């Protein structure tokens, strides 16, 4: 495939975005290693439970990044640079407000939330400690999301990469010091995360404030702007909730099949998630490029960039699928899977690989429509595709984990139909600021 100037622009945005996406899971593995080495199995389980709660909250708030990217990119493309920064500032104020609300709501509910996981008493107590301390970093975590969206909207994915690597490296260093050096227990790991996230947020605040001052954009909250950002974000929240429902239903179904099936599903899900990061990097480029070109009123450039990114997504998905097939015999050994789990995993990796090209198209078009500000359509599409998935998952749950992954594949195909149908039309090509 001949590399064009448009391809170079896509790669300029996608490659650093991919680095930022994979930085978090890599350094989270370091956190688990530190806690496991210093505190033992009980603490690792507590970290897993509390980490799942925190990850769910952050994933549900990812609209702060996506919505801000779209609005800032559109204003940038229209040449309204001060308005772009104003939208970015509003997004950060919204992030701070949601972060404070999470602390107020989740702090007293922490024991009840942890109890839902059915952890043993000692494990539950440590999970509550970790969750409550980590909640203090919620405003910082959400500001990082919004700040990332601002810079992506300004067509800068390098700075988020630098901040992500720096923050997660600092997180690992602080956790090692607090847990292994100062012997603060599970609380030390939580405080390391809070400090690292807060410092990362401070970097984003400094960058945004500097840009706002340079362009003369006010730093005080604009209630109308914050409300507008919240309204646009609500549709993205519905979309995200639908995604989480699908994954939760699949996990519950797998857990009822047996231990080997659940372990194979969990490993396959981790592999699929890692592959999704690579494809999501192209989607992030799609958000930034689409918002900018539509803001500039150039629908021809939007169409051309979309076609090219869809091609990149499809070919990247095909390459990742072939990689899974090639690595398939080696993957069970990497996870020290027993014979039963190995048998199930080797079988389930076939549908995981098969659906990667379609995943590539879905991820790219999802990013393009987010960049176009087509959140309402994405919310409705998410509801309908989830409703289509649920009966398929119910039927598949009686036929094993491979059938369950085929049901997930059906969901991916349903998403591709809704997204392609929208993309070939003109309703989403709304130009101007």
């Amino acid at each position: 495939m001949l590399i064009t100037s448009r391809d170079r622009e896509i790669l300029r945005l996608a490659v650093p975005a991919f680095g930022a996406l994979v930085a978090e899971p890599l350094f989270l593995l370091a956190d688990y290693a530190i806690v496991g080495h210093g505190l033992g199995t009980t603490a690792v389980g507590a970290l897993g439970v509390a980490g799942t709660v925190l990850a769910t909250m952050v994933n549900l708030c990812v609209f702060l990044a996506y919505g801000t990217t779209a609005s800032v990119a559109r204003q940038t493309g229209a040449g309204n640079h001060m308005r772009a920064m104003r939208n970015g500032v509003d997004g950060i104020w919204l992030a701070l407000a949601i972060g404070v609300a999470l602390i107020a709501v989740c702090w007293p509910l922490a024991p009840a939330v942890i109890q839902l996981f059915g952890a043993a008493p000692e494990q539950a107590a440590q999970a509550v400690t970790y969750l409550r301390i980590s909640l203090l970093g919620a405003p910082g975590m959400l500001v990082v999301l919004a700040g990332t969206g601002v810079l992506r909207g300004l067509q800068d994915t390098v700075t988020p990469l630098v901040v992500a690597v720096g923050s997660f490296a600092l997180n690992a260093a602080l956790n090692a010091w607090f847990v292994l050096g100062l012997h603060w227990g599970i609380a030390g790991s939580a405080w390391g995360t809070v400090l690292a996230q807060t410092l990362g947020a401070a970097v984003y605040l400094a960058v945004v404030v500097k840009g706002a001052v340079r362009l003369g954009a006010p730093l005080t909250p604009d209630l109308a702007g914050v409300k507008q950002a919240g309204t646009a974000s609500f549709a993205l929240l519905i979309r995200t909730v639908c995604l989480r429902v699908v994954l939760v239903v699949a996990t519950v179904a797998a857990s009822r099949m047996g231990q080997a099936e659940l372990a194979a599903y969990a490993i396959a899900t981790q592999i699929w998630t890692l592959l999704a990061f690579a494809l999501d990097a192209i989607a992030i480029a799609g958000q930034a490029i689409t918002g900018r070109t539509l803001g500039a009123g150039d629908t021809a450039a939007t169409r051309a960039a979309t076609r090219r990114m869809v091609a990149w997504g499809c070919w990247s998905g095909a390459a990742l699928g072939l990689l899974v097939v090639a690595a398939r015999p080696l993957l069970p050994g990497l996870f020290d899977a027993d014979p039963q789990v190995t048998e199930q995993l080797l079988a389930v990796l076939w549908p995981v690989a098969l659906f990667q090209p379609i995943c590539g198209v879905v991820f790219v078009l999802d990013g393009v429509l987010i960049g176009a500000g087509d959140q309402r359509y994405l919310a409705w599409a998410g509801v309908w595709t989830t409703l289509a998935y649920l009966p398929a998952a119910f039927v598949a749950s009686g036929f094993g984990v491979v059938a369950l992954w085929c049901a997930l594949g059906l969901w991916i195909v349903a998403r591709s139909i809704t997204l392609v149908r929208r993309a070939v039309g003109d309703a989403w090509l709304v130009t101007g600021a």
Side-chain angles (χ1 to χ4, degrees):
M1 186 166 61
L2 181 65
I3 301 297
T4 66
S5 59
R6 183 166 284 115
D7 294 323
R8 285 191 286 273
E9 181 185 22
I10 294 169
L11 292 172
R12 178 181 65 82
L13 295 169
V15 172
F18 173 72
L21 287 169
V22 300
E24 180 173 4
L26 291 177
F27 282 108
L28 282 177
L29 289 176
D31 288 351
Y32 275 92
I34 291 167
V35 169
H37 181 75
L39 303 176
T41 303
T42 300
V44 171
L47 178 60
V49 171
T52 299
V53 177
L54 290 167
T56 299
M57 289 192 299
V58 172
N59 287 333
L60 289 177
C61 291
V62 76
F63 60 79
L64 291 167
Y66 291 171
T68 306
T69 297
S71 63
V72 172
R74 181 174 287 271
Q75 296 295 338
T76 299
N80 300 333
H81 299 293
M82 186 179 77
R83 184 68 238 181
M85 292 305 301
R86 171 76 269 184
N87 287 358
V89 170
D90 291 338
I92 287 176
W93 278 111
L94 178 62
L96 284 170
I98 294 174
V100 172
L102 283 176
I103 295 175
V105 172
C106 296
W107 180 279
L109 294 177
V113 171
I114 296 300
Q115 189 175 6
L116 293 175
F117 289 82
E122 183 183 357
Q123 203 169 53
Q126 292 194 50
V128 170
T129 298
Y130 185 92
L131 179 57
R132 279 182 162 168
I133 294 173
S134 295
L135 281 171
L136 299 177
M141 285 189 285
L142 301 191
V143 166
V144 166
L145 285 177
T148 300
V150 174
L151 295 183
R152 287 175 180 169
L154 296 173
Q155 316 297 293
D156 176 9
T157 56
V158 174
T159 303
L161 169 62
V162 174
V163 177
V165 172
S167 296
F168 293 123
L170 178 62
N171 184 21
L174 289 175
N175 284 1
W177 182 27
F178 293 160
V179 174
L180 303 178
L182 299 181
H183 303 291
W184 286 2
I186 195 75
S189 180
W191 279 116
T193 300
V194 169
L195 291 175
Q197 289 284 3
T198 302
L199 287 173
V203 173
Y204 278 114
L205 286 174
V207 172
V208 172
V209 167
K210 181 179 178 181
V213 170
R214 178 172 55 84
L215 294 170
L219 297 173
T220 54
D222 176 13
L223 294 182
V226 173
K227 182 180 178 181
Q228 182 180 1
T231 301
S233 297
F234 181 72
L236 287 177
L237 175 61
I238 294 175
R239 164 195 167 274
T240 305
V241 168
C242 290
L243 298 179
R244 299 302 298 178
V245 166
V246 167
L247 297 177
V248 168
V249 168
T251 303
V252 171
S255 68
R256 294 178 178 178
M257 293 178 184
Q259 293 184 0
E261 287 83 357
L262 177 58
Y265 170 81
I267 293 171
T269 300
Q270 292 304 312
I271 294 169
W272 184 82
T273 301
L274 181 61
L275 301 177
F277 284 138
L279 299 175
D280 205 32
I282 306 173
I284 288 170
Q287 293 173 27
I289 293 171
T290 302
R292 193 198 72 233
T293 54
L294 287 179
D298 194 344
T299 57
T302 304
R303 287 278 194 198
T306 298
R307 285 193 296 269
R308 201 61 178 173
M309 285 185 288
V310 167
W312 271 99
C314 186
W315 284 109
S316 298
L320 291 173
L322 290 174
L323 180 62
V324 171
V325 171
R328 178 174 162 272
L330 305 174
L331 290 173
L334 294 178
F335 295 92
D336 196 24
D338 64 34
Q340 283 186 307
V341 175
T342 296
E343 180 183 0
Q344 296 287 340
L345 180 59
L346 289 175
V348 83
L349 286 175
W350 285 114
V352 170
L354 177 65
F355 289 110
Q356 286 307 305
I358 306 175
C359 287
V361 175
V362 167
F363 280 43
V364 168
L365 290 180
D366 198 47
V368 166
L369 294 181
I370 288 174
D374 204 18
Q375 292 96 331
R376 183 174 296 180
Y377 178 83
L378 290 172
W380 280 110
V383 171
W384 288 117
T385 53
T386 301
L387 291 176
Y389 163 77
L390 292 176
F394 176 77
V395 173
S397 63
F399 293 91
V401 71
V402 174
L404 181 61
W405 262 99
C406 288
L408 285 167
L410 177 64
W411 170 65
I412 291 291
V413 170
R415 289 186 67 194
S416 71
I417 292 172
T418 62
L419 294 171
V420 170
R421 183 171 179 269
R422 186 66 165 181
V424 298
D426 297 325
W428 62 282
L429 291 169
V430 179
T431 58

